[in-house]
Amino acid sequence: MKLNERSVAHYATCDSPADHAGFLRKRVERHHHHAHHHHATSYQRRWFVLKGNLLFYFEERESREPVGLVVLEGCTVELCEAAEEFAFAIRFDDAGARAYVLVADGQAAMEAWVKALSRASFDYMRLVVRELEKQLEEASKTLAACHKSPRRSSSSGRKRHLSNPALLPLQEKPTVLENGYSTWGSGGGIPGGAACLDRDGGHTKPPPLPPRRRSAASSAVGSPVPSLSPAMPESPVSPETACFSKLHSWYGQEIAVLRREWQERQKRGHP
Amino acid sequence: MRYNERELLFLARQPAEKAAEILMRLPKKGSVLKKRLVKLVVNFLFYFRTDESEPIGALLLEHCRIIKEEENVFSISFVEEPERKYCFECDSEEQCQEWIEALKRASYEFMRRCLIFYRNEIQKMTGKDPLEQYGISEEARFQLGTHKQ
């Protein structure tokens, strides 16, 4: 089966940061031709680099190209009862597949590797992302339920439902939502804010500004660090405003007003 | 470069995120469009001859560009060789868009960026780091600012 090896090797050696790296000794697997065939187990010291769900190994730390790759899907990582201390094994769900036995330099190194490798699968990452997506939605709902009224001149947009794929960052330019607010890549769309109700103390804090929208030219692939403008006057938060539907229609009116203003500015040729 | 091909073949048999019969052309000069069963599993795109159970090939979808070409057509290329394009001709514009969206989200690096973004947003909103409960808040892969590309 072909693999886009050149690109894979490039991914291994390019400067995107590794999730973990270090020397490990890798057990050399030899075929047993005889049941009683006796040979010493040998290990090769290699420089290992973990990127995502891919474990690369190099002959030397400075090697330009990996000598090998272990795809870490459908596997478990466990400590193993090898004669060697600090040994662990990568075993696959695929019955009959050979395991990789690796030996670390010490206890701490072994634990770090086992931890990193057990969480390296794509599925695990996907699980965590989905969980955080839900948590963000919950946090936004809680936030919206507390807010009385944001300032009209602020650029806070109502949070879009997170399952809307338009919200997720894309590798290309961000999409622009219908009302003129850009998605994540340009920093808009989801108002950032601290919890309006401190669960322990019960006091309220003014929410920080939503992320400032960047121009399309400056939005790039990669994590955005939303920059917040300097101090904005506090917006009062009223904990008694418990009726969500009222808040919802209030927000809706605000959006309509903002949208009209925006459209008028567009007509007048303002950015 | 050695790799655990057996495990990759095993992966190719797992439930797909997306699968369809699509016309595909390799970047090799003189290649023609051929009907292939194309199957997306995690961050790999496998492609099979339509009557075979073992894939002819696999593409790791990291550091790649998914580009809409002409009508119904998209391409996959890799950042270090942008002119070498794997081309795919779909049955409809709708199918084409669906595949482009799915493939853009199919990389581990993309998910990492999502995670970092959500983590940051949740932290801003609630003052709490959502990764702490997983015991993974210190891991390099999840840090804001360490994965710029």
Side-chain angles (χ1 to χ4, degrees):
Chain A
M1 178 182 64
K2 282 200 295 245
L3 178 65
N4 55 328
E5 281 187 45
R6 229 173 13 224
S7 306
V8 175
H10 184 263
Y11 177 60
T13 54
C14 77
D15 54 9
S16 72
D19 293 302
H20 205 65
F23 284 106
L24 290 169
R25 291 191 299 139
K26 178 172 152 304
R27 188 170 75 187
V28 179
E29 308 297 328
R30 298 209 198 284
H31 289 298
H32 289 261
H33 294 294
H34 276 286
H36 301 292
H37 188 252
H38 225 28
H39 62 78
T41 317
S42 66
Y43 293 82
Q44 285 170 333
R45 188 168 158 89
R46 295 277 178 258
W47 176 253
F48 281 79
V49 174
L50 174 65
K51 278 194 185 181
N53 56 350
L54 305 171
L55 181 64
F56 297 98
Y57 51 100
F58 300 76
E59 191 152 340
E60 308 282 343
R61 186 169 179 168
E62 308 78 29
S63 299
R64 301 276 223 84
E65 246 182 47
V67 298
L69 157 66
V70 184
V71 178
L72 297 168
E73 291 296 326
C75 67
T76 52
V77 184
E78 40 193 68
L79 306 180
C80 73
E81 346 58 32
E84 296 283 327
E85 231 187 335
F86 315 127
F88 58 96
I90 302 173
R91 296 189 199 281
F92 293 89
D93 297 341
D94 178 16
R98 55 152 267 217
Y100 289 82
V101 175
L102 302 169
V103 181
D105 290 337
Q107 182 71 17
M110 178 192 71
E111 285 176 6
W113 271 108
V114 170
K115 195 168 159 196
L117 292 170
S118 346
R119 291 164 175 153
S121 75
F122 192 92
D123 279 336
Y124 177 79
M125 179 59 107
R126 186 155 47 188
L127 217 94
V128 178
V129 170
R130 285 194 182 144
E131 179 57 35
L132 290 202
E133 215 168 52
K134 273 202 310 229
Q135 283 188 29
L136 184 56
E137 214 173 307
E138 287 306 312
S140 301
K141 283 198 189 124
T142 312
L143 191 66
C146 297
H147 274 201
K148 181 184 172 184
S149 51
R151 288 175 53 84
R152 287 178 170 259
S153 58
S154 82
S155 60
S156 65
R158 187 73 179 84
K159 177 197 86 65
R160 302 278 157 215
H161 196 273
L162 280 172
S163 61
N164 178 353
L167 266 190
L168 295 181
L170 301 180
Q171 291 174 9
E172 299 290 311
K173 281 201 304 229
T175 54
V176 176
L177 293 178
E178 181 227 1
N179 66 354
Y181 290 111
S182 297
T183 54
W184 167 77
S186 296
I190 300 182
C196 56
L197 279 181
D198 181 347
R199 281 166 201 243
D200 301 324
H203 73 272
T204 59
K205 284 188 279 186
L209 281 182
R212 186 163 58 199
R213 270 179 287 142
R214 299 208 211 129
S215 65
S218 65
S219 70
V221 173
S223 315
V225 181
S227 46
L228 303 178
S229 316
M232 173 173 131
E234 295 185 11
S235 58
V237 172
S238 166
E240 318 104 53
T241 319
C243 178
F244 189 72
S245 59
K246 281 201 192 127
L247 281 167
H248 194 276
S249 46
W250 199 98
Y251 267 97
Q253 288 163 22
E254 199 219 7
I255 297 284
V257 168
L258 284 170
R259 186 195 173 139
R260 264 200 311 280
E261 289 173 11
W262 179 81
Q263 282 172 336
E264 267 146 42
R265 283 202 302 278
Q266 291 296 96
K267 283 196 208 130
R268 293 197 296 269
H270 286 233
Chain B
M1 183 180 68
R2 288 195 294 273
Y3 60 94
N4 50 337
E5 178 161 348
R6 190 194 163 122
E7 273 56 67
L8 214 48
L9 290 171
F10 183 79
L11 190 63
R13 294 196 291 274
Q14 300 316 303
E17 182 71 27
K18 207 166 172 57
E21 286 190 357
I22 297 181
L23 293 169
M24 177 181 176
R25 194 177 72 227
L26 298 175
K28 212 160 67 161
K29 197 160 177 166
S31 276
V32 293
L33 284 172
K34 293 191 181 139
K35 190 168 223 187
R36 295 288 179 243
L37 171 63
V38 170
K39 188 171 171 184
L40 174 63
V41 183
V42 298
N43 51 349
F44 283 90
L45 188 69
F46 296 99
Y47 48 100
F48 304 66
R49 285 194 188 92
T50 52
D51 55 350
E52 289 177 8
S53 56
E54 203 176 278
I56 320 171
L59 297 177
L60 172 72
L61 298 169
E62 298 295 337
H63 289 196
C64 64
R65 289 206 167 90
I66 318 292
I67 298 172
K68 170 79 198 288
E69 302 283 346
E70 323 116 42
E71 196 179 345
N72 296 354
V73 178
F74 69 88
S75 68
I76 302 176
S77 57
F78 297 89
V79 296
E80 80 285 356
E81 274 179 318
E83 338 72 38
R84 268 190 101 237
K85 295 184 177 188
Y86 294 79
C87 288
F88 299 83
E89 187 175 311
C90 301
D91 287 333
S92 68
E93 191 51 41
E94 189 186 352
Q95 188 188 39
C96 186
Q97 282 308 318
E98 281 175 12
W99 274 96
I100 291 173
E101 291 308 307
L103 292 168
K104 282 181 174 174
R105 287 171 172 68
S107 73
Y108 195 99
E109 297 295 323
F110 171 80
M111 283 203 304
R112 195 205 306 276
R113 291 200 294 276
C114 284
L115 185 146
I116 291 173
F117 171 71
Y118 290 141
R119 179 192 190 185
N120 193 47
E121 289 299 304
I122 292 170
Q123 206 150 13
K124 282 190 324 205
M125 281 191 193
T126 66
K128 294 200 182 79
D129 177 1
L131 293 188
E132 258 174 45
Q133 63 172 138
Y134 292 94
I136 53 177
S137 39
E138 296 316 309
E139 286 188 16
R141 71 178 80 208
F142 304 132
Q143 300 313 317
L144 186 63
T146 58
H147 290 280
K148 304 239 188 284
Q149 291 163 39

